[in-house]
Amino acid sequence: METRSGSLRHVASESSFDVVSKVDRQEVDNALNQAAKEISQRFDFRNTNAAIRWAGEYAVELEASAEDRVLAALDVFKDKLVKRGVSLKALDTGEPRPSGKLYKIGATLQNGLTQEQAKKITKAIRDEGPKGVKAQVQGEEVRVSSKKKDDLQTVIAMLKQQDFDFALQFVNYR
């Protein structure tokens, strides 16, 4: 920025990043397709009508003719998610429920932070983070900002050590 005398003046810029809880839909789709293929080929799933499919943008439905088989299909899906780098904390599964001759399990994938989760994050930053770090809730994410990049690195490390019951990702670091 130039002053009237023509000399340059430095403005203290703030660095920031966003804390989000989103899954990579493509990775989940790949995991679902791999699980469906394995379920269709495995001997222990023969004649069980076991299947897995999308049931919405961020919802998955599993079904099989027996409760233990639908739970086994869920285990296959979870295994594929882990191998694709998707946190199981982002997966919320229901209990097996009978539906006609089949047992079904509905599962949803978290996409965005709830207000309660965002408050937990901002409280953790306020209580344990370095001074001068600001955290504010912006919709389904939390924006963390500070004049010092080292403080932001400290906050990321601190949040990774917290045992939240939901998955966190750190994006838009600038």
Side-chain angles (χ1 to χ4, degrees):
M1 222 169 145
E2 261 187 65
T3 60
R4 289 181 194 223
S5 64
S7 64
L8 289 175
R9 182 177 63 143
H10 291 287
V11 177
S13 64
E14 284 209 334
S15 298
S16 67
F17 67 90
D18 296 331
V19 181
V20 298
S21 185
K22 294 183 178 170
V23 292
D24 182 344
R25 176 91 164 52
Q26 187 60 53
E27 288 298 333
V28 175
D29 193 45
N30 291 341
L32 186 135
N33 291 333
Q34 289 174 345
K37 184 176 181 181
E38 184 171 324
I39 289 167
S40 72
Q41 293 175 344
R42 269 182 36 183
F43 181 77
D44 57 332
F45 286 111
R46 291 238 165 91
N47 301 323
T48 63
N49 297 326
I52 180 171
R53 66 180 149 277
W54 285 107
E57 184 69 19
Y58 289 98
V60 173
E61 186 173 70
L62 298 105
E63 64 184 25
S65 58
E67 187 173 349
D68 68 320
R69 291 295 82 205
V70 76
L71 288 169
L74 178 61
D75 287 342
V76 170
F77 182 51
K78 285 180 176 180
D79 184 48
K80 300 301 180 192
L81 286 173
V82 169
K83 286 183 178 169
R84 307 257 358 149
V86 177
S87 173
L88 291 182
K89 288 182 178 182
L91 183 69
D92 183 26
T93 58
E95 292 296 315
R97 63 189 189 287
S99 176
K101 293 182 179 178
L102 298 174
Y103 282 86
K104 294 185 177 187
I105 295 179
T108 56
L109 294 149
Q110 181 165 359
N111 192 37
L113 294 168
T114 64
Q115 287 296 316
E116 182 182 311
Q117 292 168 335
K119 286 178 184 173
K120 283 182 185 177
I121 293 168
T122 56
K123 182 177 181 343
I125 293 170
R126 228 182 9 258
D127 293 350
E128 300 175 34
K131 299 266 185 273
V133 174
K134 293 185 292 234
Q136 62 188 116
V137 179
Q138 295 183 329
E140 294 182 338
E141 55 189 45
V142 176
R143 167 77 41 96
V144 181
S145 57
S146 173
K147 289 188 182 353
K148 298 180 190 167
K149 286 189 173 187
D150 287 349
D151 286 351
L152 294 180
Q153 295 288 344
T154 303
V155 169
I156 290 174
M158 185 258 311
L159 289 175
K160 283 181 177 177
Q161 289 178 345
Q162 296 279 327
D163 190 26
F164 292 114
D165 56 352
F166 48 92
L168 292 180
Q169 294 85 34
F170 308 99
V171 298
N172 299 333
Y173 190 91
R174 47 180 166 276

